[in-house]
mmCIF file of all heavy atoms in Angstrom:
data_model
loop_
_atom_site.group_PDB
_atom_site.id
_atom_site.type_symbol
_atom_site.label_atom_id
_atom_site.label_comp_id
_atom_site.label_asym_id
_atom_site.label_seq_id
_atom_site.Cartn_x
_atom_site.Cartn_y
_atom_site.Cartn_z
ATOM 1 N N PRO A 1 14.684 10.541 -17.408
ATOM 2 C CA PRO A 1 15.416 11.801 -17.278
ATOM 3 C C PRO A 1 15.244 12.388 -15.887
ATOM 4 O O PRO A 1 14.276 12.045 -15.199
ATOM 5 C CB PRO A 1 14.709 12.677 -18.336
ATOM 6 C CG PRO A 1 14.032 11.731 -19.268
ATOM 7 C CD PRO A 1 13.677 10.536 -18.478
ATOM 8 N N GLU A 2 16.171 13.239 -15.472
ATOM 9 C CA GLU A 2 16.226 13.708 -14.110
ATOM 10 C C GLU A 2 14.905 14.296 -13.620
ATOM 11 O O GLU A 2 14.445 13.970 -12.524
ATOM 12 C CB GLU A 2 17.376 14.758 -13.940
ATOM 13 C CG GLU A 2 17.479 15.300 -12.533
ATOM 14 C CD GLU A 2 17.647 14.231 -11.494
ATOM 15 O OE1 GLU A 2 18.298 13.215 -11.760
ATOM 16 O OE2 GLU A 2 17.106 14.419 -10.355
ATOM 17 N N HIS A 3 14.308 15.185 -14.431
ATOM 18 C CA HIS A 3 13.094 15.858 -13.984
ATOM 19 C C HIS A 3 11.918 14.862 -13.832
ATOM 20 O O HIS A 3 11.130 14.929 -12.894
ATOM 21 C CB HIS A 3 12.672 17.010 -14.909
ATOM 22 C CG HIS A 3 12.251 16.546 -16.302
ATOM 23 N ND1 HIS A 3 13.164 16.057 -17.225
ATOM 24 C CD2 HIS A 3 11.023 16.491 -16.893
ATOM 25 C CE1 HIS A 3 12.485 15.760 -18.338
ATOM 26 N NE2 HIS A 3 11.191 16.003 -18.147
ATOM 27 N N ARG A 4 11.842 13.888 -14.778
ATOM 28 C CA ARG A 4 10.791 12.870 -14.645
ATOM 29 C C ARG A 4 11.098 11.886 -13.529
ATOM 30 O O ARG A 4 10.141 11.409 -12.866
ATOM 31 C CB ARG A 4 10.695 12.096 -15.982
ATOM 32 C CG ARG A 4 9.884 12.874 -17.059
ATOM 33 C CD ARG A 4 9.665 12.037 -18.291
ATOM 34 N NE ARG A 4 8.726 12.683 -19.165
ATOM 35 C CZ ARG A 4 7.445 12.472 -19.187
ATOM 36 N NH1 ARG A 4 6.895 11.663 -18.279
ATOM 37 N NH2 ARG A 4 6.668 13.123 -20.047
ATOM 38 N N ALA A 5 12.351 11.606 -13.306
ATOM 39 C CA ALA A 5 12.727 10.728 -12.187
ATOM 40 C C ALA A 5 12.304 11.311 -10.856
ATOM 41 O O ALA A 5 11.792 10.619 -9.942
ATOM 42 C CB ALA A 5 14.224 10.438 -12.200
ATOM 43 N N ARG A 6 12.530 12.612 -10.722
ATOM 44 C CA ARG A 6 12.126 13.314 -9.481
ATOM 45 C C ARG A 6 10.619 13.261 -9.252
ATOM 46 O O ARG A 6 10.157 12.971 -8.169
ATOM 47 C CB ARG A 6 12.603 14.747 -9.523
ATOM 48 C CG ARG A 6 12.328 15.514 -8.200
ATOM 49 C CD ARG A 6 12.928 16.879 -8.194
ATOM 50 N NE ARG A 6 12.339 17.756 -9.220
ATOM 51 C CZ ARG A 6 12.932 18.071 -10.376
ATOM 52 N NH1 ARG A 6 14.152 17.619 -10.640
ATOM 53 N NH2 ARG A 6 12.310 18.863 -11.251
ATOM 54 N N ILE A 7 9.892 13.468 -10.341
ATOM 55 C CA ILE A 7 8.400 13.424 -10.261
ATOM 56 C C ILE A 7 7.973 11.995 -9.893
ATOM 57 O O ILE A 7 7.053 11.759 -9.059
ATOM 58 C CB ILE A 7 7.746 13.862 -11.563
ATOM 59 C CG1 ILE A 7 8.037 15.337 -11.812
ATOM 60 C CG2 ILE A 7 6.238 13.602 -11.554
ATOM 61 C CD1 ILE A 7 7.594 15.853 -13.183
ATOM 62 N N ALA A 8 8.578 11.016 -10.523
ATOM 63 C CA ALA A 8 8.211 9.606 -10.270
ATOM 64 C C ALA A 8 8.470 9.229 -8.797
ATOM 65 O O ALA A 8 7.686 8.551 -8.167
ATOM 66 C CB ALA A 8 8.981 8.662 -11.192
ATOM 67 N N ARG A 9 9.621 9.724 -8.256
ATOM 68 C CA ARG A 9 9.943 9.427 -6.864
ATOM 69 C C ARG A 9 8.899 10.081 -5.960
ATOM 70 O O ARG A 9 8.402 9.492 -4.983
ATOM 71 C CB ARG A 9 11.327 9.955 -6.488
ATOM 72 C CG ARG A 9 12.464 9.134 -6.971
ATOM 73 C CD ARG A 9 13.727 9.475 -6.201
ATOM 74 N NE ARG A 9 14.072 10.906 -6.312
ATOM 75 C CZ ARG A 9 14.828 11.434 -7.255
ATOM 76 N NH1 ARG A 9 15.288 10.661 -8.210
ATOM 77 N NH2 ARG A 9 15.086 12.702 -7.242
ATOM 78 N N GLN A 10 8.516 11.329 -6.262
ATOM 79 C CA GLN A 10 7.524 12.030 -5.452
ATOM 80 C C GLN A 10 6.180 11.323 -5.510
ATOM 81 O O GLN A 10 5.498 11.171 -4.487
ATOM 82 C CB GLN A 10 7.393 13.464 -5.948
ATOM 83 C CG GLN A 10 8.644 14.335 -5.684
ATOM 84 C CD GLN A 10 8.556 15.695 -6.361
ATOM 85 O OE1 GLN A 10 7.730 15.924 -7.245
ATOM 86 N NE2 GLN A 10 9.446 16.581 -5.970
ATOM 87 N N VAL A 11 5.767 10.900 -6.715
ATOM 88 C CA VAL A 11 4.507 10.189 -6.869
ATOM 89 C C VAL A 11 4.545 8.876 -6.100
ATOM 90 O O VAL A 11 3.595 8.522 -5.364
ATOM 91 C CB VAL A 11 4.186 9.933 -8.353
ATOM 92 C CG1 VAL A 11 2.987 8.987 -8.510
ATOM 93 C CG2 VAL A 11 3.897 11.242 -9.072
ATOM 94 N N GLY A 12 5.635 8.152 -6.242
ATOM 95 C CA GLY A 12 5.768 6.851 -5.584
ATOM 96 C C GLY A 12 5.694 6.963 -4.061
ATOM 97 O O GLY A 12 4.970 6.210 -3.412
ATOM 98 N N LEU A 13 6.429 7.930 -3.500
ATOM 99 C CA LEU A 13 6.454 8.024 -2.047
ATOM 100 C C LEU A 13 5.145 8.657 -1.507
ATOM 101 O O LEU A 13 4.706 8.334 -0.417
ATOM 102 C CB LEU A 13 7.642 8.843 -1.608
ATOM 103 C CG LEU A 13 8.979 8.130 -1.848
ATOM 104 C CD1 LEU A 13 10.147 9.036 -1.594
ATOM 105 C CD2 LEU A 13 9.105 6.876 -0.985
ATOM 106 N N ALA A 14 4.540 9.536 -2.298
ATOM 107 C CA ALA A 14 3.220 10.076 -1.898
ATOM 108 C C ALA A 14 2.187 8.925 -1.866
ATOM 109 O O ALA A 14 1.375 8.873 -0.938
ATOM 110 C CB ALA A 14 2.772 11.131 -2.924
ATOM 111 N N LEU A 15 2.251 8.061 -2.844
ATOM 112 C CA LEU A 15 1.326 6.902 -2.844
ATOM 113 C C LEU A 15 1.626 5.967 -1.641
ATOM 114 O O LEU A 15 0.690 5.414 -1.052
ATOM 115 C CB LEU A 15 1.484 6.148 -4.167
ATOM 116 C CG LEU A 15 0.902 6.797 -5.405
ATOM 117 C CD1 LEU A 15 1.344 6.039 -6.658
ATOM 118 C CD2 LEU A 15 -0.609 6.887 -5.325
ATOM 119 N N ALA A 16 2.902 5.800 -1.325
ATOM 120 C CA ALA A 16 3.230 4.969 -0.178
ATOM 121 C C ALA A 16 2.619 5.559 1.083
ATOM 122 O O ALA A 16 2.078 4.811 1.925
ATOM 123 C CB ALA A 16 4.763 4.880 0.016
ATOM 124 N N LEU A 17 2.694 6.884 1.244
ATOM 125 C CA LEU A 17 2.100 7.531 2.409
ATOM 126 C C LEU A 17 0.579 7.349 2.390
ATOM 127 O O LEU A 17 -0.013 7.009 3.421
ATOM 128 C CB LEU A 17 2.462 9.032 2.412
ATOM 129 C CG LEU A 17 1.880 9.862 3.539
ATOM 130 C CD1 LEU A 17 2.317 9.341 4.890
ATOM 131 C CD2 LEU A 17 2.224 11.347 3.337
ATOM 132 N N VAL A 18 -0.071 7.571 1.231
ATOM 133 C CA VAL A 18 -1.507 7.509 1.153
ATOM 134 C C VAL A 18 -1.994 6.107 1.487
ATOM 135 O O VAL A 18 -2.925 5.898 2.249
ATOM 136 C CB VAL A 18 -1.981 7.901 -0.267
ATOM 137 C CG1 VAL A 18 -3.459 7.544 -0.463
ATOM 138 C CG2 VAL A 18 -1.770 9.373 -0.490
ATOM 139 N N PHE A 19 -1.357 5.048 0.910
ATOM 140 C CA PHE A 19 -1.759 3.711 1.139
ATOM 141 C C PHE A 19 -1.643 3.328 2.607
ATOM 142 O O PHE A 19 -2.509 2.674 3.181
ATOM 143 C CB PHE A 19 -0.931 2.739 0.271
ATOM 144 C CG PHE A 19 -1.299 2.752 -1.183
ATOM 145 C CD1 PHE A 19 -0.306 2.615 -2.136
ATOM 146 C CD2 PHE A 19 -2.623 2.919 -1.579
ATOM 147 C CE1 PHE A 19 -0.637 2.629 -3.495
ATOM 148 C CE2 PHE A 19 -2.923 2.953 -2.912
ATOM 149 C CZ PHE A 19 -1.940 2.785 -3.898
ATOM 150 N N ARG A 20 -0.527 3.726 3.224
ATOM 151 C CA ARG A 20 -0.302 3.363 4.625
ATOM 152 C C ARG A 20 -1.339 4.002 5.539
ATOM 153 O O ARG A 20 -1.911 3.355 6.429
ATOM 154 C CB ARG A 20 1.130 3.755 5.030
ATOM 155 C CG ARG A 20 2.192 2.773 4.575
ATOM 156 C CD ARG A 20 3.574 3.393 4.647
ATOM 157 N NE ARG A 20 4.641 2.397 4.423
ATOM 158 C CZ ARG A 20 4.968 1.916 3.282
ATOM 159 N NH1 ARG A 20 4.359 2.321 2.194
ATOM 160 N NH2 ARG A 20 5.968 1.049 3.155
ATOM 161 N N ILE A 21 -1.630 5.277 5.340
ATOM 162 C CA ILE A 21 -2.599 5.983 6.151
ATOM 163 C C ILE A 21 -4.012 5.430 5.868
ATOM 164 O O ILE A 21 -4.802 5.248 6.821
ATOM 165 C CB ILE A 21 -2.538 7.490 5.961
ATOM 166 C CG1 ILE A 21 -1.205 8.043 6.460
ATOM 167 C CG2 ILE A 21 -3.707 8.199 6.669
ATOM 168 C CD1 ILE A 21 -1.015 9.506 6.282
ATOM 169 N N LEU A 22 -4.280 5.156 4.628
ATOM 170 C CA LEU A 22 -5.599 4.592 4.262
ATOM 171 C C LEU A 22 -5.785 3.252 4.961
ATOM 172 O O LEU A 22 -6.865 2.980 5.514
ATOM 173 C CB LEU A 22 -5.667 4.417 2.763
ATOM 174 C CG LEU A 22 -6.988 3.757 2.209
ATOM 175 C CD1 LEU A 22 -8.173 4.641 2.489
ATOM 176 C CD2 LEU A 22 -6.873 3.495 0.719
ATOM 177 N N PHE A 23 -4.768 2.390 4.955
ATOM 178 C CA PHE A 23 -4.875 1.091 5.585
ATOM 179 C C PHE A 23 -5.042 1.266 7.099
ATOM 180 O O PHE A 23 -5.725 0.468 7.740
ATOM 181 C CB PHE A 23 -3.680 0.255 5.255
ATOM 182 C CG PHE A 23 -3.649 -0.279 3.865
ATOM 183 C CD1 PHE A 23 -2.441 -0.601 3.238
ATOM 184 C CD2 PHE A 23 -4.804 -0.451 3.160
ATOM 185 C CE1 PHE A 23 -2.398 -1.069 1.960
ATOM 186 C CE2 PHE A 23 -4.768 -0.920 1.849
ATOM 187 C CZ PHE A 23 -3.568 -1.233 1.250
ATOM 188 N N LEU A 24 -4.370 2.286 7.701
ATOM 189 C CA LEU A 24 -4.493 2.477 9.142
ATOM 190 C C LEU A 24 -5.941 2.804 9.530
ATOM 191 O O LEU A 24 -6.388 2.430 10.605
ATOM 192 C CB LEU A 24 -3.568 3.608 9.579
ATOM 193 C CG LEU A 24 -2.073 3.245 9.777
ATOM 194 C CD1 LEU A 24 -1.268 4.499 10.040
ATOM 195 C CD2 LEU A 24 -1.905 2.265 10.890
ATOM 196 N N PHE A 25 -6.657 3.575 8.650
ATOM 197 C CA PHE A 25 -7.999 3.966 8.947
ATOM 198 C C PHE A 25 -9.022 2.880 8.519
ATOM 199 O O PHE A 25 -10.241 3.095 8.623
ATOM 200 C CB PHE A 25 -8.328 5.298 8.326
ATOM 201 C CG PHE A 25 -7.768 6.452 9.077
ATOM 202 C CD1 PHE A 25 -6.599 7.066 8.653
ATOM 203 C CD2 PHE A 25 -8.319 6.902 10.260
ATOM 204 C CE1 PHE A 25 -6.027 8.102 9.359
ATOM 205 C CE2 PHE A 25 -7.806 7.943 10.974
ATOM 206 C CZ PHE A 25 -6.612 8.561 10.507
ATOM 207 N N THR A 26 -8.552 1.792 7.999
ATOM 208 C CA THR A 26 -9.439 0.670 7.665
ATOM 209 C C THR A 26 -8.894 -0.587 8.373
ATOM 210 O O THR A 26 -8.778 -1.641 7.701
ATOM 211 C CB THR A 26 -9.523 0.481 6.154
ATOM 212 O OG1 THR A 26 -8.160 0.304 5.623
ATOM 213 C CG2 THR A 26 -10.167 1.637 5.479
ATOM 214 N N LEU A 27 -8.605 -0.423 9.656
ATOM 215 C CA LEU A 27 -7.964 -1.539 10.388
ATOM 216 C C LEU A 27 -8.825 -2.809 10.416
ATOM 217 O O LEU A 27 -8.339 -3.921 10.327
ATOM 218 C CB LEU A 27 -7.640 -1.112 11.819
ATOM 219 C CG LEU A 27 -6.577 -0.029 11.987
ATOM 220 C CD1 LEU A 27 -6.336 0.268 13.497
ATOM 221 C CD2 LEU A 27 -5.281 -0.468 11.340
ATOM 222 N N THR A 28 -10.127 -2.588 10.541
ATOM 223 C CA THR A 28 -11.035 -3.768 10.629
ATOM 224 C C THR A 28 -10.925 -4.553 9.323
ATOM 225 O O THR A 28 -10.810 -5.810 9.326
ATOM 226 C CB THR A 28 -12.470 -3.308 10.837
ATOM 227 O OG1 THR A 28 -12.566 -2.579 12.006
ATOM 228 C CG2 THR A 28 -13.377 -4.552 10.921
ATOM 229 N N TRP A 29 -10.965 -3.847 8.163
ATOM 230 C CA TRP A 29 -10.857 -4.537 6.879
ATOM 231 C C TRP A 29 -9.464 -5.133 6.742
ATOM 232 O O TRP A 29 -9.309 -6.283 6.289
ATOM 233 C CB TRP A 29 -11.083 -3.536 5.732
ATOM 234 C CG TRP A 29 -10.797 -4.120 4.390
ATOM 235 C CD1 TRP A 29 -11.623 -4.905 3.651
ATOM 236 C CD2 TRP A 29 -9.587 -3.950 3.628
ATOM 237 N NE1 TRP A 29 -10.972 -5.245 2.476
ATOM 238 C CE2 TRP A 29 -9.743 -4.690 2.430
ATOM 239 C CE3 TRP A 29 -8.416 -3.261 3.848
ATOM 240 C CZ2 TRP A 29 -8.756 -4.716 1.477
ATOM 241 C CZ3 TRP A 29 -7.438 -3.291 2.898
ATOM 242 C CH2 TRP A 29 -7.617 -4.013 1.684
ATOM 243 N N LEU A 30 -8.435 -4.419 7.169
ATOM 244 C CA LEU A 30 -7.037 -4.886 7.005
ATOM 245 C C LEU A 30 -6.831 -6.116 7.830
ATOM 246 O O LEU A 30 -6.205 -7.097 7.336
ATOM 247 C CB LEU A 30 -6.069 -3.783 7.439
ATOM 248 C CG LEU A 30 -4.585 -4.075 7.163
ATOM 249 C CD1 LEU A 30 -4.330 -4.197 5.659
ATOM 250 C CD2 LEU A 30 -3.695 -2.963 7.714
ATOM 251 N N MET A 31 -7.286 -6.159 9.075
ATOM 252 C CA MET A 31 -7.117 -7.359 9.890
ATOM 253 C C MET A 31 -7.912 -8.522 9.306
ATOM 254 O O MET A 31 -7.588 -9.677 9.560
ATOM 255 C CB MET A 31 -7.553 -7.053 11.335
ATOM 256 C CG MET A 31 -6.638 -6.092 12.049
ATOM 257 S SD MET A 31 -4.879 -6.510 11.922
ATOM 258 C CE MET A 31 -4.834 -8.070 12.814
ATOM 259 N N GLY A 32 -8.994 -8.203 8.535
ATOM 260 C CA GLY A 32 -9.715 -9.284 7.894
ATOM 261 C C GLY A 32 -8.887 -10.001 6.839
ATOM 262 O O GLY A 32 -9.208 -11.146 6.461
ATOM 263 N N LEU A 33 -7.789 -9.370 6.382
ATOM 264 C CA LEU A 33 -6.923 -9.974 5.424
ATOM 265 C C LEU A 33 -6.168 -11.179 6.015
ATOM 266 O O LEU A 33 -5.621 -12.006 5.292
ATOM 267 C CB LEU A 33 -5.911 -9.008 4.907
ATOM 268 C CG LEU A 33 -6.433 -7.815 4.064
ATOM 269 C CD1 LEU A 33 -5.318 -6.879 3.647
ATOM 270 C CD2 LEU A 33 -7.177 -8.349 2.811
ATOM 271 N N THR A 34 -6.137 -11.245 7.386
ATOM 272 C CA THR A 34 -5.442 -12.341 8.030
ATOM 273 C C THR A 34 -6.402 -13.496 8.384
ATOM 274 O O THR A 34 -5.998 -14.499 8.992
ATOM 275 C CB THR A 34 -4.753 -11.886 9.306
ATOM 276 O OG1 THR A 34 -5.735 -11.336 10.217
ATOM 277 C CG2 THR A 34 -3.729 -10.799 9.008
ATOM 278 N N SER A 35 -7.647 -13.372 7.993
ATOM 279 C CA SER A 35 -8.631 -14.478 8.217
ATOM 280 C C SER A 35 -8.378 -15.558 7.178
ATOM 281 O O SER A 35 -8.126 -15.312 6.019
ATOM 282 C CB SER A 35 -10.080 -13.925 8.093
ATOM 283 O OG SER A 35 -10.302 -12.940 9.030
ATOM 284 N N THR A 36 -8.515 -16.794 7.655
ATOM 285 C CA THR A 36 -8.206 -17.940 6.793
ATOM 286 C C THR A 36 -9.175 -18.026 5.636
ATOM 287 O O THR A 36 -10.414 -18.012 5.808
ATOM 288 C CB THR A 36 -8.229 -19.228 7.621
ATOM 289 O OG1 THR A 36 -7.248 -19.149 8.664
ATOM 290 C CG2 THR A 36 -7.921 -20.449 6.736
ATOM 291 N N LEU A 37 -8.632 -18.192 4.422
ATOM 292 C CA LEU A 37 -9.433 -18.408 3.220
ATOM 293 C C LEU A 37 -9.597 -19.895 2.965
ATOM 294 O O LEU A 37 -10.698 -20.407 2.654
ATOM 295 C CB LEU A 37 -8.791 -17.727 2.006
ATOM 296 C CG LEU A 37 -8.841 -16.183 1.963
ATOM 297 C CD1 LEU A 37 -8.033 -15.695 0.758
ATOM 298 C CD2 LEU A 37 -10.277 -15.707 1.901
ATOM 299 N N PHE A 38 -8.479 -20.602 2.997
ATOM 300 C CA PHE A 38 -8.482 -22.019 2.756
ATOM 301 C C PHE A 38 -7.217 -22.591 3.362
ATOM 302 O O PHE A 38 -6.332 -21.863 3.827
ATOM 303 C CB PHE A 38 -8.597 -22.365 1.241
ATOM 304 C CG PHE A 38 -7.601 -21.650 0.389
ATOM 305 C CD1 PHE A 38 -6.295 -22.166 0.174
ATOM 306 C CD2 PHE A 38 -7.894 -20.459 -0.234
ATOM 307 C CE1 PHE A 38 -5.412 -21.498 -0.633
ATOM 308 C CE2 PHE A 38 -7.031 -19.809 -1.047
ATOM 309 C CZ PHE A 38 -5.742 -20.339 -1.237
ATOM 310 N N VAL A 39 -7.112 -23.900 3.350
ATOM 311 C CA VAL A 39 -5.962 -24.625 3.953
ATOM 312 C C VAL A 39 -5.302 -25.466 2.894
ATOM 313 O O VAL A 39 -5.950 -26.167 2.123
ATOM 314 C CB VAL A 39 -6.407 -25.501 5.137
ATOM 315 C CG1 VAL A 39 -5.218 -26.285 5.709
ATOM 316 C CG2 VAL A 39 -7.072 -24.663 6.229
ATOM 317 N N VAL A 40 -3.938 -25.346 2.835
ATOM 318 C CA VAL A 40 -3.148 -26.126 1.873
ATOM 319 C C VAL A 40 -2.079 -26.910 2.631
ATOM 320 O O VAL A 40 -1.255 -26.311 3.327
ATOM 321 C CB VAL A 40 -2.490 -25.206 0.799
ATOM 322 C CG1 VAL A 40 -1.577 -26.028 -0.140
ATOM 323 C CG2 VAL A 40 -3.523 -24.413 0.007
ATOM 324 N N PHE A 41 -2.128 -28.214 2.542
ATOM 325 C CA PHE A 41 -1.151 -29.055 3.232
ATOM 326 C C PHE A 41 -1.073 -28.720 4.746
ATOM 327 O O PHE A 41 -0.002 -28.653 5.339
ATOM 328 C CB PHE A 41 0.235 -29.012 2.591
ATOM 329 C CG PHE A 41 0.258 -29.407 1.189
ATOM 330 C CD1 PHE A 41 0.624 -28.491 0.166
ATOM 331 C CD2 PHE A 41 -0.094 -30.685 0.810
ATOM 332 C CE1 PHE A 41 0.668 -28.884 -1.151
ATOM 333 C CE2 PHE A 41 -0.071 -31.075 -0.566
ATOM 334 C CZ PHE A 41 0.315 -30.157 -1.523
ATOM 335 N N GLY A 42 -2.196 -28.473 5.346
ATOM 336 C CA GLY A 42 -2.251 -28.149 6.758
ATOM 337 C C GLY A 42 -1.900 -26.740 7.118
ATOM 338 O O GLY A 42 -1.951 -26.369 8.315
#
């Protein structure tokens, strides 16, 4: 319904903002995500 859709959009985009800023302030951890875990077919 329209009122719930509006709330869901607000929640979704607020979370998008929170996650992005959170990741920006954890750059060391985030860049660690690009460290090699294992190798598959080279």
Side-chain angles (χ1 to χ4, degrees):
E2 179 55 35
H3 67 287
R4 282 186 170 269
R6 184 174 63 255
I7 295 173
R9 283 198 304 271
Q10 292 171 345
V11 170
L13 292 172
L15 289 170
L17 177 62
V18 169
F19 286 143
R20 281 163 170 76
I21 294 179
L22 178 64
F23 287 154
L24 281 173
F25 283 100
T26 56
L27 293 182
T28 302
W29 173 80
L30 188 63
M31 292 311 295
L33 294 178
T34 61
S35 301
T36 300
L37 289 175
F38 51 87
V39 177
V40 177
F41 300 118

